[in-house]
Amino acid sequence: RGSKYLRWSIHQVSSGIWRWDKTFGDYYSKKINEGKHHYVAIGHIDKKLVRVIFSLLKNKQSFIPQK
């Protein structure tokens, strides 16, 4: 399961990122429209955020938010 502090940090970021970033906001809306509970949707955003962070570090890129 990994570090509880890292999991907590990712969850804290996910709790707010869907409000400010279009990509994550659209993903949150998609999950809510599928009938998922708010906290389940946030859990999905946690996983997506980890995948995005891993990809950015692996490819040595910067995150460019969509407009």
Side-chain angles (χ1 to χ4, degrees):
R1 291 188 39 121
S3 167
K4 65 181 179 180
Y5 302 110
L6 181 58
R7 282 195 318 271
W8 179 82
S9 298
I10 294 289
H11 186 74
Q12 289 298 309
V13 170
S14 298
S15 295
I17 197 170
W18 64 272
R19 294 181 187 137
W20 308 110
D21 185 73
K22 183 181 182 332
T23 303
F24 289 97
D26 292 345
Y27 191 68
Y28 176 82
S29 298
K30 176 185 170 193
K31 292 299 173 184
I32 292 297
N33 290 335
E34 290 175 2
K36 307 288 186 199
H37 188 272
H38 168 75
Y39 291 111
V40 174
I42 294 297
H44 283 278
I45 291 174
D46 289 346
K47 294 175 205 166
K48 183 177 181 72
L49 182 59
V50 168
R51 290 191 308 266
V52 168
I53 291 169
F54 178 77
S55 177
L56 292 173
L57 290 173
K58 180 180 173 185
N59 298 319
K60 298 179 182 167
Q61 296 176 338
S62 297
F63 181 72
I64 302 170
Q66 296 178 349
K67 299 289 177 184

